[in-house]
Structure formats: C-alpha cells, structure tokens
Amino acid sequence: MAIKIGILGYGNLGRGVECAIRQNPDTELAAVFTRRAPASLKIQTQSAKVASVDEIQNWTDKIDVLIVCGGSATDLPKQSPKYAKLFNLIDSFDTHAKIPEHFANVDKSAKEGGKVAIISVGWDPGMFSLNRLYANAILTEGKDYTFWGKGVSQGHSDAIRRVEGVQDGKQYTIPVDSALKAVRAGENPELTTRQKHTRECFVVLKEGADAAKVEKEIKNMPNYFSDYDTTVHFISQEELDKNHSGIPHGGIVLRSGSTNGGKNKHIIEYSLKLDSNPEFTSCVLLAYARAAYRLSKEGASGCKTVFDIAPAYLSAKSGEELRATML
Amino acid sequence: MAIKIGILGYGNLGRGVECAIRQNPDTELAAVFTRRAPASLKIQTQSAKVASVDEIQNWTDKIDVLIVCGGSATDLPKQSPKYAKLFNLIDSFDTHAKIPEHFANVDKSAKEGGKVAIISVGWDPGMFSLNRLYANAILTEGKDYTFWGKGVSQGHSDAIRRVEGVQDGKQYTIPVDSALKAVRAGENPELTTRQKHTRECFVVLKEGADAAKVEKEIKNMPNYFSDYDTTVHFISQEELDKNHSGIPHGGIVLRSGSTNGGKNKHIIEYSLKLDSNPEFTSCVLLAYARAAYRLSKEGASGCKTVFDIAPAYLSAKSGEELRATML
C-alpha cells in the first residue's frame, strides 16, 4: 500500500511535491491543505482532495506523512510544532541560525504525539549539510567551502523589487571561478564574501524611473548587495519573462583536507546543478517522507534531521536490492 | 575514554588507519595483528602492541573495534566472518559481485557474537555507493555514471608487471573528458567501456626485452586493457621511482535526472581527488569504526553497510553540535 502524503501549502514547493509523488509509485497524494478557499485551488492530482487547513485534524488517520511547504520566516516556526503532534512531518526550515530552537519546539511536539518529524530537509540545509558532515568525519583536518549558484535567489530578487522605481527583477548568485579553482587546487584560500560570489541583477524599470538612482540603491543595499560585486542590467518585462522566468539553482560543497601530517592532500566535492530549485527540493522532501514513515512504523518518535537518518530509509528498494545494485 | 582500535594487517591500508587514528583524538590504537613475526614489524605508535594474529582471541576485552586491512580476493572472505563473532569489525571488501554472499557470512557471525560489523567501507564501495543511493532516492528518473581516476589501479599495475620482459610498471586510469562533459551537460549519453576511460601505462623494461612485443601484449590483454584505448610509455626505473611512486586516485559519481515529466533537468555530482588512495580509505574506515562502536553500545548487532548507518554516528561531535555548526 502506498504511503499517503499530505501537502500543507500549495506554492512552488507544494506543487513540486505533488510532481515528485507522480515519480514515486510507493507514495500517493491524499490531500492538499490550504489557507485559501479550497474551491479556489486547482491541483494536478484527480484522486486527491483539497481541504482547508482548519480541517487538518480530521485527517490524522488518512495521512501517513504531512509535508509542510510553507516559508521559514513565519510559516514553519508555527506550523511544524503545531502539526508534529498530529502527523509524521517533514519541513524545509532553512534559517540556519534558528535551527536549534526550531528543533527543540518540533521535538517536544512530535514526542507528545508519538510522531516522527524530520526538519530542515532540502539541499541547503539538507544534502549540502550531509556532505559537510561526511567530509568532516572523514577528513578531520581540513577546510570547508560552500559556493552557491549559479542560481536565482528569491530573497535578493524580492529585495530588488522593493526598490522604488523597480517594476520587476531577478537576481542570480554566481560563484567566482578563480576562487573555486583555488579551492579545487588545494590552496586552502581564506575567502571574503566578495571573493566567493558575485551578484547579477536583471531589472525592469517602472515608466519614468531613474536608472542610475535604482542601480546605486541596489548596489549599496546593506546585507543583500553592498558586500558583493554586483552587476545591474536593465531589460524589458518581455525579456525578463522570456529569459529569466525559471528558478534554477545549485552550488558546490568542498572539503580540502590532508592526511599523514599534511603530506597528502584530498579534495571532496559535491555539486548540484538544478533547473528547478523547488522541484529538486521537493524530491528530497519526499524521500525523507518515506524515511519518516518507515521510522514511525518501527516505533520511533521525536524530531530528527538528515544527520539522523540512515540512507537506506530513503530508497524504495530493499536492503538486499540496494546491496546488490548500488554498493 | 578513547575508542580502542585493533588493526589486522599492516600493509598500505593498515598503516593508513594508524595514521588516521593520530588525527582522531577520540580513538587510540591498541594493537596491530600480523601474520608475520611480530618482532619484525615496526609501527609508528609507541603505545600500541604488535601481536601475532594467532593470539587475537586474547584481545576481545582490550579492543572496541577491529579494522581488517586485508585484500578482498583471499583475506577478507575468511577473516571477516572469522573475527566478526569476536569483535565489532570494519572491512573494505570491494568485490562488488560477491558482496551479498560476504554480507550473509559476516552477518551470521556478528549476530552469533552479538557484535556489529560494517563491510565494504571505503570510497567505492563506500562513499560512491552512498552517493549513488542518495541521488537515486532523490531523482528517481535518471541515469547513473561512475568515472574512476585519474589514479593508479593496483590491479592493472600488477597485470603489467606480470608481462614477460617487464621489470616494473604503473597504470593510471583516466576518465575521458568529452564523455564527462556530455554527462555534465545532461545529454545522458550511452557510453561504452572504451568511451569512459583511457589507460596510461608507465613501463620499465628488463634488459634486452623487446619493447614492441611488451607494448602489444599489454594493449591486447583481455579484461584489463583490450577494451580500452591504452597508451604505453617506456621509462627508466629512476623516472618511475621519482614521478610515479604515489598512489593517487579518485573519481566522479554523477546522476543526471529530471522532474516534472522531463521538463526540468538536474545533475548531482560527487567527486574525490586523492593524493593517497589508502590513506583516504583508512579515514573512511575509522569514521565507520566510530559508528560501529556506538551502535554496539546501543545494543545493535549483525552486519551492516554504509547504507544502514545514520551519518551522525560517523562524527565525533554531538547531535547538538552538528545541528548548530553543519546543518
């Protein structure tokens, strides 16, 4: 029998999970929960229901795992602790500094309900974190590097759009090639923020807006752009829609380490190149939903992260099959 | 108190484990077991004993984990099942086709003794296997590629040295750059053996040997070279010793997959670039020794592989530290 998945929130991520379920025949979409009027939502899966989040507590015996697809700023800190006592639960909480607090809140709730929750699932945090851990456990002497991009940063794109005179905009984060090369060569460079990434902005101006003023304001924006070499291109809305409507992303995690008193150097590198950031993230969420379901069946409860999940739990294949085909 | 490690077999791998222990203060080397005369063995660790393998059963309460550093052809199939009932045990069994059989033998023995054994640890099988599993669980529609090198293949170097007229030799396995590029570009090529790797041989001839004959014999050797584009360079023993005495290796695991009915493509890539194959492998073995020790303390027993071990068990850091610093 397929694992019954519930999706809470039907934005890019929720739609991505629905899409991932179609690629995983051991899972099925039971329901999508929304804060909007359910009738206003069109989903792709005919067999699944759309329900108001206010009725979610009626679904506890019809859903094996709830995947919470809200944002980390305001949604997940409330939703995950609230629902982890009712459902096995997956979220993609990505505010790195607040993970310990979020973990504690979700853990308390999940233990209360006897459920399994896995938080901060995705690629960073998620697959990148895993690779940092594995690489650090193996090469205990060394240096870590994470590069992001080339890809669209939603936060930086939002920041551009808040600038006066801007009609629309997209921002790409781009790793600096020379920095990456130095790391790959085992040079262990010390890299400042500016030396690791550049930021490229594509901006559509409102009619009559002052391009020079907009460019200056973007480039000097603290936290977002002032610490980076930023390029601003002004283009038409048509051009933006045509060439920049995707949500690609990716990045690279490296550990440059040594053995035998520094005599021998080793580089471990993990990279992702993604046409669709939310669709890939959704695939990771669904694999961990499978793990949460299995762990729950084994009697586990409480909050976990990707660090706590044995890899075999993620695959639909049996241990025997995995050993015979992938080891 | 440090985890007490025993090493069985003091070749490249055994020496590598000793070296890794010095980088991991939560572990200590208790003893090296050898089939040679113990007095003939010089080890680096003053506090550790050298003992005959015939006395290994006297060490069951003085060693937490035994790392078996023998070869996969004849040593490990006997040693691991034999000692898994006496010790928590790690091996690097790498004959992919025989893993299911080896697993069954070790599992029986480990369960009998109430011990934890983790087999086929290293980078392939090992870290590469893990990356195949993670990538397949995430991108369920896609294609896998593994490239090896640039690096020294011990098996192929041995094969060269068995050719009549050859005094010494080293063989490098090299991934074909154009094949790698096609995979990275998401072209999902079908690649033959010859299209994925080339083989480069550095050969020292015995006096009076016929170079043309040796080259022909190498290039036509079935299984080892006949399916590859092979280059043979004849050099002096001095040159070989000076430029080819290292044991570098590495490789790349890729999965090229798609989501949303093939609309969006994604590439997951994991690569290793290693100055010393045995020293890196040893670091992986030691991290899994830590995991075996902890699992055993929790009451687990039986044979496991890297697929069954939650990543957090590999790190000396606590779950709390890991979440705060690496997630």
Side-chain angles (χ1 to χ4, degrees), chain B residues 141-207:
Chain B
E141 291 173 10
K143 216 163 146 44
D144 293 305
Y145 296 90
T146 303
F147 291 86
W148 292 277
K150 182 183 176 175
V152 171
S153 163
Q154 300 285 13
H156 289 79
S157 299
D158 290 344
I160 289 174
R161 288 189 289 258
R162 284 193 299 264
V163 171
E164 205 191 310
V166 171
Q167 176 177 302
D168 204 350
K170 268 276 169 84
Q171 192 268 184
Y172 295 91
T173 305
I174 304 169
V176 173
D177 205 46
S178 59
L180 195 46
K181 273 192 183 136
V183 173
R184 283 180 176 149
E187 294 170 16
N188 289 2
E190 293 289 338
L191 297 168
T192 62
T193 300
R194 195 179 291 270
Q195 287 169 325
K196 284 179 72 184
H197 298 94
T198 56
R199 300 198 176 277
E200 191 171 22
C201 309
F202 292 87
V203 176
V204 181
L205 289 173
K206 281 181 184 157
E207 232 180 275

Side-chain angles (χ1 to χ4, degrees), chain A residues 45-197:
Chain A
T45 311
Q46 298 220 336
S47 58
K49 293 278 194 320
V50 178
S52 164
V53 68
D54 301 329
E55 294 166 26
I56 200 169
Q57 71 284 354
N58 302 329
W59 285 79
T60 50
D61 57 351
K62 281 168 264 174
I63 280 174
D64 295 315
V65 187
L66 181 69
I67 304 183
V68 190
C69 297
S72 293
T74 54
D75 299 334
L76 299 179
K78 287 182 193 163
Q79 291 174 335
S80 295
K82 185 169 174 186
Y83 300 121
K85 63 167 79 76
L86 299 177
F87 300 97
N88 297 314
L89 179 147
I90 306 292
D91 81 20
S92 61
F93 186 77
D94 66 0
T95 313
H96 290 259
K98 292 188 178 166
I99 286 173
E101 181 189 340
H102 187 60
F103 183 92
N105 293 339
V106 175
D107 191 48
K108 186 167 172 285
S109 169
K111 279 182 179 150
E112 216 176 293
K115 302 291 180 184
V116 172
I118 312 177
I119 62 159
S120 301
V121 177
W123 58 273
D124 196 4
M127 299 312 296
F128 275 18
S129 323
L130 275 180
N131 276 281
R132 284 188 282 263
L133 192 165
Y134 277 118
N136 274 270
I138 295 168
L139 294 176
T140 48
E141 291 174 9
K143 217 164 145 42
D144 292 304
Y145 296 90
T146 302
F147 291 87
W148 291 276
K150 182 181 176 175
V152 171
S153 162
Q154 299 285 12
H156 289 79
S157 299
D158 290 345
I160 290 174
R161 287 189 290 258
R162 284 193 299 264
V163 171
E164 206 190 307
V166 170
Q167 177 178 302
D168 204 350
K170 268 278 169 82
Q171 193 267 185
Y172 295 91
T173 305
I174 304 169
V176 174
D177 205 45
S178 58
L180 196 46
K181 274 192 182 135
V183 174
R184 284 180 175 149
E187 295 170 15
N188 289 1
E190 292 290 339
L191 296 167
T192 63
T193 299
R194 195 179 290 273
Q195 286 168 325
K196 283 179 73 185
H197 297 94

Side-chain angles (χ1 to χ4, degrees), chain A residues 108-288:
Chain A
K108 186 167 172 285
S109 169
K111 279 182 179 150
E112 216 176 293
K115 302 291 180 184
V116 172
I118 312 177
I119 62 159
S120 301
V121 177
W123 58 273
D124 196 4
M127 299 312 296
F128 275 18
S129 323
L130 275 180
N131 276 281
R132 284 188 282 263
L133 192 165
Y134 277 118
N136 274 270
I138 295 168
L139 294 176
T140 48
E141 291 174 9
K143 217 164 145 42
D144 292 304
Y145 296 90
T146 302
F147 291 87
W148 291 276
K150 182 181 176 175
V152 171
S153 162
Q154 299 285 12
H156 289 79
S157 299
D158 290 345
I160 290 174
R161 287 189 290 258
R162 284 193 299 264
V163 171
E164 206 190 307
V166 170
Q167 177 178 302
D168 204 350
K170 268 278 169 82
Q171 193 267 185
Y172 295 91
T173 305
I174 304 169
V176 174
D177 205 45
S178 58
L180 196 46
K181 274 192 182 135
V183 174
R184 284 180 175 149
E187 295 170 15
N188 289 1
E190 292 290 339
L191 296 167
T192 63
T193 299
R194 195 179 290 273
Q195 286 168 325
K196 283 179 73 185
H197 297 94
T198 56
R199 299 198 176 277
E200 191 171 22
C201 308
F202 292 87
V203 177
V204 181
L205 289 173
K206 281 182 183 158
E207 230 180 277
D210 179 347
K213 190 167 165 278
V214 166
E215 178 166 348
K216 196 176 162 196
E217 195 168 331
I218 291 174
K219 288 187 171 177
N220 294 318
M221 201 184 293
N223 301 319
Y224 286 91
F225 294 101
S226 63
D227 292 336
Y228 297 86
D229 289 333
T230 302
T231 318
V232 179
H233 307 279
F234 293 103
I235 60 175
S236 68
Q237 185 72 53
E238 293 70 42
E239 231 179 312
L240 190 82
D241 294 344
K242 192 183 157 209
N243 299 327
H244 304 283
S245 63
I247 321 175
H249 218 317
I252 305 170
V253 173
L254 298 116
R255 185 161 176 85
S256 170
S258 64
T259 52
N260 208 348
K263 207 179 122 199
N264 288 310
K265 289 183 175 183
H266 311 282
I267 307 271
I268 304 176
E269 176 168 344
Y270 178 79
S271 73
L272 296 173
K273 210 163 59 191
L274 314 173
D275 274 359
S276 165
N277 183 354
E279 285 176 16
F280 182 85
T281 301
S282 299
C283 291
V284 183
L285 293 174
L286 190 63
Y288 278 93

